[in-house]
Every structure is written in C-alpha cells, then in structure tokens.
C-alpha cells in the first residue's frame, strides 16, 4: 500500500496533509490519537474516499474507482455497521455474496470465517444480543470471509475484554503468517507493540514517523523524559536531583516530585541508588507519563 | 489421514461472479426481506382487487354484449385501471421504498457494502430493482393480464386490432408511474436514517403538490397550473398516451419537463448521498 503526496480536505478542514508513505507486507500498526487522521487514511486506503490530491495505490493498482480490487481487500470499520435483527451467520453470508459467492459457497465461507474468529457458537444469535467484543469479532469475520490478500482493520480491539484482545491479536499475527498484509489502527501503543514492530505514527493529518518501533523509541529517548515520583520526602529527593546535569526541570505536586531529565537511563539508575540508600525516605510510586502514546506524539511534534 | 483435523483457515478456491453483478444480490436480498413481511404481502394482494373487479367486468361484457353500452371495454377503461392502481403504487412505494436506503444508513451498512466489490451504481440499481419489481407487479402485470383476458374471453383479437395503441400506452403509463415513484422515493430514502420520516416526506410531497394545484386552480380559475402537481402531470401525459380528451389545460410538454426535472433531481440526490463515507463539511 502506497500513498504518494496524499492530501484530503473536508471543506475547510484538512484530514490528511501531504502524506507519502509505503506500507510494507506483514502487519503494520497505524497509531495516532483520536482525530489524528487514522480513519481518513484507512478510508483512503480502502477506496471509500477520493484523495483531494495525490494517489493511493494498493497491490500495485490505484484504489480509487477500482472496485475490482475490493475482491482482494478486507475492511473492518471502526463503527458498528450491521442490522441488529440479523444473526451473525446471516450477516456474514449476505456480505460475502457481494463478493460473487453463490448461496452455498457463501454459507460455507461464512462458517469458516466465524469459526476462525471463534464465534460459531453464537452464529445463530441476533447481532443485537452480541457483546461489544462479539460485534468486533463478527466485523473481523466479514473482513476475512472472502479470503483477501490485504486486511485493513480500523480499531479492531476497541471494546474487547483482555482475553478477547489477546485472542484477536494472536489471530491477526496468524493471518500475517499466512501471507496476508495487515494494516491495523489503534490509539494504544501497547496493543500494537504486541502485534508488530512496524508502525506508522500519525498526528494532525501528518505522518510523524514510520518504521521499526524500537528505532522510533530510541529517537524519543533523546528528548526530555518526564518522571513522576511519589515519595515520603519529595523535597529531599529534589535536593539530590538538583546536583545532576541531566535534570532539566522539577516541580512539586502533593506528596510527589515531577522531574524532567535528558538522560532517563542514568536518572533511573541514580533514583534506584537513592532508594536503596534510604537517605530520602521511601518511594511509593515511580511512573512516567511519557510511556503513553500521547507523550510520544508530543515529543515528535515538538521535534 | 491424520486423526487431528486441520483447524487453520482454508482458502476459497471456487468460482466468483465477476464485477457488475452484485446488484442482483442487493435486489434479491431486499425482495426476500420484504416478502417475508405479512403486512407487505397483504398490501400486494390488496393491489389486485381492482384486477378481479375488472376481470368480472370484462367477462360480463363479453358474455352479455348489451352491457357494453353501460360498461364499455375501450382504451378509457384500461386508462382508468392504470390510474386506479396509482393508489397502490403510492402504498407499495411508501411501505417498500421508505426504508430501502434509510435502513442501510441507520445501520451504517453503506460503509461495509461499498468496501466490497459493489459499485455505487450497482447498489442504487439493486435498490431500484426491488421497488420497480413490486410496482410493476401491481401496475403493468395486472394491466397486461387484463388485456390478455379480454382476448381470451372474446376469443378474437378484434379489440387489440382496433386499439393497437393501447399496448404501448399501458406499458408507457405504467413505466412512467413506476419510474417517477421509484426514483423520488429512493432519493428521499437516501436523505434520512428514519423510515418514518421518509414515508411522511413522500406523502407530504404528493399531497402538498396536489393541494397546491387545487388552490392555484381555484385562484386562477384555470388548470394551466396543473404542472405543479405530480399526480396531475402523470394524468396529463396518460391522457395523451391513451388518446383521451385532456383533463387539464397545462401543456403536455411542460408536464414531461417537470417529471424529467424530478428524475434529474432524484438522481443528483442519490449521487451525493449514496457514499460509503458521510462527509460533513
């Protein structure tokens, strides 16, 4: 999947801004906070939106106005898109018939897909009675049912319980092993990391970074890192940190000190020493707000 | 053979219909879904009551030719039948058409449909096929059947030979009603997610234009303003097709242009509204 100088405007609002990116085979995670342009990118990649500028190519062919490519693509949208009075089996069967399957073949394919997503037991229940996780899985089944080469999954893990998430992530990894190319979006870095190391970071309609997640993290580590320390004696800790060159700034919060450091590895080592020495009392909590994706974006946007 | 079965995904290796035929899936699924509703079947059956009445009429006149003076079998009779069926065209259009696109929009199904090998034209064509089929079933089918029954009861082709224009007149009058009703309803259905709202809107448009014509006719003292009413335009053109005296003073060309304009607006609305992704500027 390739986007070449792709922009998309919605009237005065820009959804995607001059994006040039190449999505390689395998699993690629599309990461970005809400409103970053992930869904716009997904809709452009699936040919549901026409780019205002530039071209989107999937499997070597332009996707816009090329519905025969849809035989080779499976799309799982973020929103619920089904008739709640239909059963899962009826819904998946009806949709796969749009791919040119006969009634009998469609039924067999739907059974296979529902079995794959572990939903065969509930296949004859109405979708209206499905839990959020089951709805996500039935959407995955319709994306998979016609055996596409490319799977585009928009926030497929939203609303799933932890076991469901784990199963779905394993399923996605299995599909990739079978040779499918998968683009999966999420706003949770951790989820994507469990599926792939190849990511695309998007924010404000622009691609911020692409490639191996470790390389991107290394890049992030050159930026100031924030550490929140809840301690018995935060002022004593702050006095110790003041002597260190890597500490850029500090501020106090009730019962805690928040430190900004340029060398997180050295800082954590020193903090461990201080706690071991016990000279500044006990430390009850050490967290880094930087571990969330929003902070990663903040750093990348600042750079 | 291994006693442990392979549980992994098996790839589909069968035949696939080529691109361009998915509209048949949309049409067949829609028809099946409507025919499964008892109330809709009741409406369809009710629509054939006038056919039974007219069949008796034709039979009586054929058996007792003296009755022909009171209840003549002529082009006018067939025109009246087509116009009487307009009431059922209205009911079938409202019951069957209001939800055709509105329900898909409510369920966000368009996004999924249009991510499949289904062209927007095919989607609209499939939906149109549903409405057109049911409307032809209550207009063209009974009208042509009535003509065939006349030939059967009479045992000769004298009526057809003397009124050859009746066949194209029936076909065109029915197709015109069906096309206008189907396109207008489908366009309205694409505007909302509420079936009820669409049904009210369609009913409102039909009755409002009719009422407006009534008021304007009283104010101006002339029927030259008949073009404001959709029903009057259909009747105006039907008069010409069946070679009957004109009921309205409005020129037929104006009626044709108004109906063509309505079709153009409907197609334009469908083109804008039937999209996988709704864009809110």
């Amino acid at each position: 999947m390739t986007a070449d100088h792709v922009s998309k405007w919605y009237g005065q609002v820009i959804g995607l801004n001059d994006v040039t990116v190449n999505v390689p085979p395998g699993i690629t995670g599309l990461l970005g906070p809400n409103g970053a342009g992930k869904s716009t990118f997904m809709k452009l990649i699936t040919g549901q939106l026409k780019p205002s500028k530039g071209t989107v190519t999937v499997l070597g062919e332009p996707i816009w106005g090329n519905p025969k490519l849809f035989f080779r693509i499976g799309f799982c949208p973020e929103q619920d898109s089904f008739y709640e009075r239909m059963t899962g089996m009826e819904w998946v069967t009806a949709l796969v018939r749009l791919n040119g399957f006969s009634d009998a073949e469609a039924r067999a394919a739907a059974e296979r897909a529902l079995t794959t997503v572990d939903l065969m037991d509930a296949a004859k229940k109405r979708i209206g009675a499905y839990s959020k996780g089951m709805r996500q899985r039935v959407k995955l089944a319709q994306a998979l049912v016609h055996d596409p080469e490319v799977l585009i999954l928009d926030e497929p893990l939203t609303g799933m319980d932890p076991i469901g998430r784990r199963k779905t992530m394993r399923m996605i990894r299995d599909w990739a092993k079978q040779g499918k190319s998968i683009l999966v979006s999420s706003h949770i870095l951790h989820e994507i990391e469990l599926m792939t190391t190849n990511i695309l970071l998007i924010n404000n309609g622009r691609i911020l970074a692409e490639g191996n997640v470790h390389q991107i993290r290394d890049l992030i580590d050159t930026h100031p890192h924030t550490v929140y320390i809840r301690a018995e004696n935060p002022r004593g800790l702050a006095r110790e940190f003041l002597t260190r060159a890597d500490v850029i700034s500090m501020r106090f919060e009730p019962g805690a000190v928040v430190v900004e450091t340029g060398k997180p590895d050295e800082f954590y080592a020193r903090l461990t020493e201080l706690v071991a020495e016990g000279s500044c009392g006990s430390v009850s909590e050490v967290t880094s707000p930087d571990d969330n994706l929003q902070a990663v974006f903040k750093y990348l946007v600042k750079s | 053979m291994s006693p442990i079965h392979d549980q992994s995904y098996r790839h589909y290796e069968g035949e696939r219909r080529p691109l361009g035929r998915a509209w048949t899936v949309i049409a067949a699924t829609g028809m099946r879904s409507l025919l499964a509703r008892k109330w809709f079947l009741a409406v369809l059956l009710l629509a054939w009551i006038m056919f039974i009445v007219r069949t008796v009429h034709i039979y009586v006149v054929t058996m007792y030719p003296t009755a022909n003076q009171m209840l003549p079998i002529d082009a006018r009779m067939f025109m009246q039948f087509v116009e009487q069926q307009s009431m059922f065209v209205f009911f079938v259009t409202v019951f069957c058409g209001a939800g055709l696109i509105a329900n898909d929009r409510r369920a966000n199904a368009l996004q999924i449909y249009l991510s499949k090998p289904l062209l927007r034209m095919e989607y609209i064509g499939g939906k149109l096929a549903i409405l057109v089929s049911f409307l032809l079933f209550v207009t063209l089918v009974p009208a042509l059947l009535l003509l065939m029954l006349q030939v059967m009861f009479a045992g000769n082709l004298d009526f057809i030979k003397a009124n050859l224009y009746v066949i194209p007149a029936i076909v065109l009058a029915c197709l015109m009603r069906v096309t206008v009703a189907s396109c207008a309803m489908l366009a309205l259905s694409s505007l909302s997610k509420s079936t009820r709202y669409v049904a009210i809107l369609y009913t409102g448009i039909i009755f409002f234009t009719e009422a407006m014509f009534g008021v304007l006719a009283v104010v101006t003292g002339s029927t030259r303003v008949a073009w404001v009413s959709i029903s009057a335009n259909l009747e105006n053109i039907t008069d010409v097709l069946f070679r009957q005296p004109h009921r309205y003073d409005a020129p037929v060309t104006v009626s044709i242009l108004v109906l063509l304009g309505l079709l153009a607006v409907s197609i334009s609305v469908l083109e804008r509204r039937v999209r996988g992704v709704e864009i809110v500027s």
Side-chain angles (χ1 to χ4, degrees):
Chain A
M1 289 171 267
T2 307
D4 183 23
H5 293 290
V6 170
S7 297
K8 179 68 196 175
W9 295 283
Y10 303 104
Q12 297 287 313
V13 180
I14 190 154
L16 216 59
N17 189 356
D18 195 30
V19 166
T20 297
V21 70
N22 180 28
V23 182
I27 305 177
T28 301
L30 180 65
L31 283 156
N34 293 329
K38 294 192 302 291
S39 290
T40 298
F41 186 70
M42 289 277 188
K43 283 162 191 165
L44 286 163
I45 285 280
T46 50
Q48 297 198 39
L49 276 180
K50 186 183 179 184
S52 306
K53 192 172 153 273
T55 52
V56 180
T57 311
V58 178
L59 296 164
E61 292 179 48
I63 183 78
W64 176 250
N66 191 4
K68 70 173 187 289
L69 260 184
F70 297 159
F71 283 113
R72 302 165 70 187
I73 297 173
F75 176 52
C76 173
E78 183 184 4
Q79 285 177 308
D80 280 356
S81 313
F82 25 60
Y83 284 100
E84 303 217 334
R85 61 187 156 77
M86 287 176 101
T87 67
M89 176 60 89
E90 285 169 348
W91 188 65
V92 177
T93 308
L95 286 174
V96 74
R97 290 184 64 229
L98 290 175
N99 284 283
F101 286 44
S102 67
D103 283 354
E105 289 160 352
R107 200 165 176 81
E111 274 180 20
R112 282 198 298 273
L114 287 166
T115 306
T116 304
V117 298
D118 208 8
L119 208 60
M120 202 50 210
D121 291 343
K124 288 181 182 164
K125 276 189 191 168
R126 290 183 175 213
I127 295 174
Y130 281 10
S131 67
K132 179 73 182 164
M134 288 160 93
R135 285 164 184 247
Q136 291 292 84
R137 277 186 279 153
V138 80
K139 278 194 287 178
L140 284 170
Q142 68 77 30
L144 176 78
V145 67
H146 56 291
D147 191 21
E149 293 160 56
V150 174
L151 275 168
I152 294 164
L153 313 176
D154 198 355
E155 305 266 4
L157 304 172
T158 307
M160 284 190 181
D161 58 62
I163 296 170
R165 273 168 198 253
R166 232 187 355 254
K167 274 187 182 174
T168 307
M169 285 190 275
R170 194 170 56 223
M171 225 154 50
I172 292 171
R173 284 196 302 264
D174 287 345
W175 295 337
K177 279 181 201 158
Q178 289 166 19
K180 295 187 194 301
S181 292
I182 302 167
L183 180 66
V184 52
S185 80
S186 175
H187 58 274
I188 302 168
L189 180 63
H190 173 69
E191 284 178 355
I192 294 291
E193 280 180 311
L194 290 172
M195 285 184 275
T196 181
T197 54
N198 192 37
I199 62 167
L200 275 176
L201 288 177
I202 188 169
N203 191 35
N204 288 334
R206 283 182 178 276
I207 298 288
L208 298 180
E210 63 174 298
N212 189 292
V213 69
H214 303 303
Q215 288 171 346
I216 294 169
R217 276 214 156 158
D218 287 346
L219 178 76
I220 291 165
D221 283 345
T222 63
H223 289 84
H225 195 92
T226 307
V227 186
Y228 173 94
I229 309 158
R230 180 174 289 279
E232 195 182 341
N233 181 9
R235 291 190 180 274
L237 278 175
R239 262 197 306 276
E240 291 292 331
F241 296 144
L242 271 176
T243 59
R244 297 187 59 83
D246 61 284
V247 173
I248 298 162
S249 71
M250 279 190 293
R251 69 172 197 277
F252 290 101
E253 285 188 7
V257 59
V258 181
V259 182
E260 205 177 40
T261 171
K263 294 178 181 169
D265 293 341
E266 289 177 24
F267 177 80
Y268 282 123
R270 177 65 188 142
L271 180 63
T272 309
E273 283 169 22
L274 284 172
V275 173
E277 288 165 10
S279 56
C280 300
S282 62
V283 170
S284 56
E285 184 185 342
V286 178
T287 52
S288 171
D290 294 347
D291 283 346
N292 66 49
L293 191 61
Q294 190 62 46
V296 173
F297 282 116
K298 261 195 216 164
Y299 285 144
L300 288 170
V301 172
K302 276 180 197 166
S303 69
Chain B
M1 202 175 93
S2 166
I4 300 167
H5 288 235
D6 178 15
Q7 296 294 307
S8 65
Y9 193 82
R10 272 163 280 171
H11 294 267
Y12 177 69
E13 288 168 354
E15 287 289 311
R16 284 178 178 176
R17 272 194 303 273
L19 189 67
R21 298 204 197 146
W23 71 271
T24 57
V25 177
I26 297 281
T29 310
M31 282 183 203
R32 270 203 294 259
S33 152
L34 280 164
L35 288 173
R37 295 177 196 176
K38 283 179 188 157
W39 56 263
F40 184 67
L41 285 175
V43 171
L44 283 184
L45 288 176
L46 268 176
W48 280 71
I49 284 179
M50 283 315 296
F51 170 80
I52 296 166
V53 171
R54 291 290 177 179
T55 304
V56 173
H57 169 192
I58 292 170
Y59 179 77
V60 169
V61 171
T62 314
M63 293 298 120
Y64 308 100
T66 47
N68 197 34
Q69 288 174 338
M70 243 168 51
L71 298 162
I73 298 173
D74 52 11
R76 189 174 174 77
M77 188 215 86
F78 284 96
M79 186 184 86
Q80 283 172 343
F81 175 75
V82 169
E83 288 186 348
Q84 279 163 346
Q85 290 304 96
S86 293
M87 181 175 69
F88 295 104
V89 167
F90 172 78
F91 285 123
V92 172
T93 304
V94 169
F95 287 135
C96 159
L100 280 179
I101 298 179
N103 286 340
D104 284 347
R105 282 172 50 78
R106 192 173 62 231
N108 287 320
L110 275 174
Q111 193 182 6
I112 289 265
Y113 285 157
L114 297 176
S115 71
K116 306 284 174 195
L118 171 74
L119 304 166
R120 279 197 301 158
M121 280 289 292
E122 284 186 89
Y123 173 79
I124 295 170
K127 294 290 180 182
L128 212 54
I130 299 169
L131 198 47
V132 166
S133 304
F134 287 126
L135 289 178
L136 289 179
F137 181 70
V138 299
T139 53
L140 188 63
V141 175
L144 289 178
L145 218 56
L146 218 50
L147 204 60
M148 282 168 63
L149 284 174
Q150 194 285 328
V151 173
M152 272 175 59
F153 291 152
N156 58 57
L157 290 169
D158 291 352
F159 177 80
I160 300 276
K161 281 177 187 165
N163 301 280
L164 207 56
Y165 66 91
V166 168
I167 298 173
I170 288 172
V171 173
L172 288 174
C174 290
L175 284 180
M176 178 176 69
R177 281 173 168 75
V178 168
T179 310
V180 169
S182 304
C183 289
M185 177 49 100
L186 222 53
L188 291 177
S189 185
S190 72
L191 288 174
S192 172
K193 293 182 179 180
S194 162
T195 304
R196 230 170 267 168
Y197 178 72
V198 172
I200 291 168
L201 202 61
Y202 181 81
T203 310
I205 288 170
I206 297 290
F207 286 101
F208 175 74
T209 58
E210 191 67 25
M212 202 159 74
F213 165 51
V215 170
L216 287 173
V218 170
V219 170
T220 60
S222 157
T223 55
R224 286 189 74 81
V225 287
W227 61 268
V228 299
S229 159
I230 295 170
S231 314
N233 282 315
L234 290 168
E235 287 167 359
N236 208 14
I237 299 168
T238 307
D239 286 342
V240 175
L241 292 172
F242 282 90
R243 300 182 183 177
Q244 297 298 308
H246 288 225
R247 275 170 278 189
Y248 307 111
D249 296 331
V252 176
T253 45
V254 174
S255 291
I256 293 171
L257 287 174
V258 168
L259 293 183
L260 285 177
L262 185 66
L263 289 181
V265 170
S266 302
I267 291 165
S268 163
V269 168
L270 285 169
E271 202 281 323
R272 283 164 190 270
R273 299 292 293 180
V274 177
R275 291 174 192 267
V277 180
E278 191 172 1
I279 296 169
V280 183
S281 297

